[in-house]
Amino acid sequence: MRKRLLVLMVAAMSVAFVISSVCATSAPDKIVMNNKVFKKHKKALVHFTHKKHHEQYKVACTECHHVMKDGKNVWKDGDPVQKCTECHKGAKAKGKMPKAEKIKGFYYNAIHANCVGCHKDMKKKGKKAPSACKDCHPKKK
């Protein structure tokens, strides 16, 4: 009985590893965050690397990719990946509105809430993560 349970646990862990690897390996490694909702970028573009975030920092695909239904992320590995602007259509929220509305409707607010929020959480846990704007937006050359 214990041996069978151990075999099942190893098999389940192997499947989970393969599935999580598929997400990172099927995606392009480097993405330049050049979003067309902005007429002009004020800072240098972010060069995001899937491999570094997935392998080195152990960020799950669902930390960034999501389809929200009833307040829960129902996106799973293997589902189609849409550009952020499919849902976050505006460039940047202006004026007063609840933070959740800003994130839901505006690309800038969504990206910064997700990325900067994660980086701050990592720092709180004592892990190294960029936290200054220039760390992700290096000076334009």
Side-chain angles (χ1 to χ4, degrees):
M1 181 70 171
R2 284 186 185 177
K3 192 172 187 178
R4 182 181 285 176
L5 182 61
L6 180 63
V7 169
L8 285 173
M9 286 175 56
V10 169
M13 289 172 47
S14 298
V15 168
F17 176 77
V18 168
I19 288 171
S20 68
S21 297
V22 168
C23 176
T25 57
S26 64
D29 181 37
K30 293 188 181 183
I31 295 175
V32 178
M33 306 295 276
N34 185 10
N35 199 291
K36 304 300 181 199
V37 297
F38 298 103
K39 292 177 182 163
K40 183 178 179 185
H41 292 276
K42 293 180 181 177
K43 296 192 182 296
L45 299 173
V46 172
H47 291 249
F48 176 85
T49 60
H50 274 106
K51 186 175 182 177
K52 188 175 188 178
H53 282 80
H54 184 71
E55 291 180 9
Q56 190 172 341
Y57 303 128
K58 307 294 183 213
V59 176
C61 301
T62 53
E63 293 294 321
C64 299
H65 300 289
H66 53 264
V67 173
M68 303 306 285
K69 288 192 180 165
D70 299 324
K72 293 185 179 179
N73 185 4
V74 297
W75 187 90
K76 58 190 176 310
D77 291 342
D79 284 354
V81 174
Q82 295 181 328
K83 291 190 180 267
C84 302
T85 52
E86 290 297 316
C87 296
H88 309 281
K89 296 182 184 293
K92 183 177 180 180
K94 293 183 169 95
K96 290 192 174 194
M97 68 176 72
K99 184 177 179 180
E101 280 186 46
K102 289 179 181 181
I103 291 169
K104 187 175 181 182
F106 298 90
Y107 177 82
Y108 173 93
N109 302 85
I111 292 296
H112 283 84
N114 197 22
C115 299
V116 174
C118 185
H119 287 199
K120 285 181 179 180
D121 288 346
M122 296 290 282
K123 287 198 79 111
K124 284 178 188 173
K125 293 175 184 173
K127 296 181 180 179
K128 187 177 177 183
S131 56
C133 297
K134 66 179 175 46
D135 293 338
C136 296
H137 298 277
K139 288 196 178 261
K140 289 184 178 184
K141 293 179 182 178

